[in-house]
Amino acid sequence: MATEHPPFELAKGINGLEKIVLRESRGRSAEVYLYGGHVTSWKNENGEELLYLSSKAIFKPPKPIRGGIPLCFPQFSNFGSLESHGFARNRLWEIDASPPPLPLNSSSTAFVDLLLRPSEDDLKTWPYNFEFRLRVALGTEGELTLTSRIRNTNSDGKPFTFTFAYHTYFSVSDISEVRVEGLETLDYLDNLKNRERFTEQGDAITFESEIDKIYLSTPTKIAILDHEKKRTFVVRKDGLADAVVWNPWDKRSKTIADLGDEDYKHMLCVEAAAIERQITLKPGEEWKGRLELSAVPSSYSSGQLDPKKVLQ
Ligand code: TA6
């Protein structure tokens, strides 16, 4: 009997770069570029795009793609000596035809497994052998799941240490109408203040100026409420203690060549990450970090972070 691997399409994307298209029977879809192992699109049953992708995004190596879900590995931002956000986001990944077993969420309708190994050049700047396996899956309720499995394959006994983030750009109707729940009262490092540590006060997070904060030891669920769209994104994460919230606002946007001047109004990065406590793997060890995104109508009431209720 033929194996029932859910189908995916391999297609040519922008500038001829190869992409994988995942489709679900009710019309939902997701797209992943082999360049960067980068999810660039996630659409609901009405064909509405749920991720922000810059109209000025440069789909040309070695420039990372602006928008979607860049993968930051083996370094988040400049927490180390590598290029900012590491190199996984601007390397060419391959389709992993025979990944080690990974239980599939029963509701997954389509998925693809990708693999990144270091090149000779990568080993010159980061001298560690690894296998980074990424599964991108689309569920029957339209949820998008990314599972990263990173294994130390060094044969010389060397451990390695890394930081990581799913640098997700959500599409929002109007940033001033958006609130984020689940991060109240937590400690954060403020990137705009030399990474000084503060404690978040008050209610949900709202936006009226540039923000670039690394929230520490966050809960496994975070909600992004878009009042104008009457939509709530629910972020569920495992193995990823931290969460970064970033919006460049007007001034900083103008310094980012591949971001439109006004685009900050329609995007918000909420990034499931492992930053403060770096991950160390000895040879043969594997780390797993999972991100699940769902978009639900906002019958969601403030403070109600029970995902079962959100989905009802
Ligand atoms: O995650 C937030 C952040 O680290 C910001 O400091 C900001 O620079 C952003 O990522 C984008 O980085 P990039 O290298 O993609 O321009």
Side-chain angles (χ1 to χ4, degrees):
M1 205 175 79
T3 50
E4 295 197 5
H5 189 293
F8 62 79
E9 279 167 46
L10 188 59
K12 287 273 181 234
I14 297 170
N15 289 338
L17 294 174
E18 284 187 309
K19 65 177 181 183
I20 283 117
V21 185
L22 304 176
R23 292 186 199 283
E24 179 267 343
S25 57
R26 288 174 59 188
R28 291 139 171 164
S29 65
E31 294 189 357
V32 194
Y33 273 72
L34 289 184
Y35 177 56
H38 195 130
V39 174
T40 54
S41 171
W42 171 40
K43 287 185 180 163
N44 67 11
E45 61 280 14
N46 303 320
E48 287 170 314
E49 184 54 69
L50 302 171
L51 298 176
Y52 163 83
L53 179 67
S54 172
S55 55
K56 291 179 153 185
I58 299 162
F59 283 74
K60 216 176 192 183
K63 183 80 190 153
I65 299 166
R66 174 75 58 198
I69 312 182
L71 297 169
C72 304
F73 172 82
Q75 177 185 297
F76 176 77
S77 183
N78 61 352
F79 282 76
S81 58
L82 299 176
E83 60 194 286
S84 180
H85 290 325
F87 52 77
R89 65 177 179 162
N90 59 7
R91 293 296 182 272
L92 201 57
W93 291 55
E94 56 185 284
I95 294 174
D96 191 1
S98 51
L102 176 65
L104 199 59
N105 179 333
S106 57
S107 84
S108 289
T109 59
F111 67 93
V112 66
D113 286 287
L114 301 183
L115 174 62
L116 179 71
R117 291 195 181 99
S119 67
E120 290 298 316
D121 274 353
D122 294 334
L123 288 167
K124 286 181 196 150
T125 46
W126 202 65
Y128 306 105
N129 274 298
F130 66 87
E131 286 174 349
F132 182 164
R133 293 193 147 81
L134 172 73
R135 174 171 292 177
V136 182
L138 194 59
T140 47
E141 297 303 318
E143 70 277 20
L144 181 71
T145 306
L146 278 72
T147 309
S148 289
R149 292 181 288 171
I150 296 171
R151 176 176 290 277
N152 182 332
T153 54
N154 280 322
S155 52
D156 57 5
K158 269 198 289 189
F160 62 67
T161 293
F162 65 90
T163 46
F164 181 93
Y166 291 110
H167 198 305
T168 311
Y169 288 74
F170 291 95
S171 169
V172 297
S173 51
D174 175 357
I175 187 69
S176 341
E177 298 293 321
V178 169
R179 52 195 273 146
V180 173
E181 293 191 0
L183 302 173
E184 313 82 64
T185 72
L186 297 179
D187 280 6
Y188 64 88
L189 307 179
D190 195 336
N191 264 325
L192 304 178
K193 293 184 180 150
N194 297 319
R195 301 212 170 116
E196 213 182 309
R197 194 177 180 118
F198 297 93
T199 303
E200 193 60 71
Q201 307 292 332
D203 258 4
I205 295 156
T206 52
F207 303 92
E208 49 193 23
S209 59
E210 184 179 1
I211 180 168
D212 192 350
K213 295 179 178 177
I214 303 169
Y215 289 88
L216 307 170
S217 302
T218 62
T220 55
K221 286 159 229 143
I222 300 167
I224 302 158
L225 288 81
D226 184 338
H227 290 294
E228 207 172 296
K229 269 265 179 230
K230 296 193 171 46
R231 172 189 293 148
T232 297
F233 291 109
V234 182
V235 176
R236 295 181 179 83
K237 58 189 182 64
D238 277 316
L240 298 152
D242 307 319
V244 181
V245 177
W246 180 58
N247 183 293
W249 222 256
D250 54 353
K251 264 208 214 102
R252 196 160 135 57
S253 290
K254 295 197 175 81
T255 68
I256 304 176
D258 55 353
L259 191 68
D261 286 359
E262 302 284 309
D263 284 17
Y264 72 93
K265 293 178 181 164
H266 307 296
M267 56 152 274
L268 176 64
C269 287
V270 175
E271 312 164 28
I275 301 169
E276 189 193 32
R277 264 173 274 134
Q278 304 191 341
I279 314 290
T280 298
L281 293 178
K282 293 192 196 115
E285 284 184 340
E286 183 175 274
W287 169 86
K288 191 154 108 184
R290 186 174 180 277
L291 172 71
E292 184 185 301
L293 306 178
S294 38
V296 295
S298 284
S299 51
Y300 179 94
S301 62
S302 179
Q304 173 204 319
L305 254 181
D306 181 337
K308 287 200 197 90
K309 287 187 199 149
V310 171
L311 290 172
Q312 270 162 14

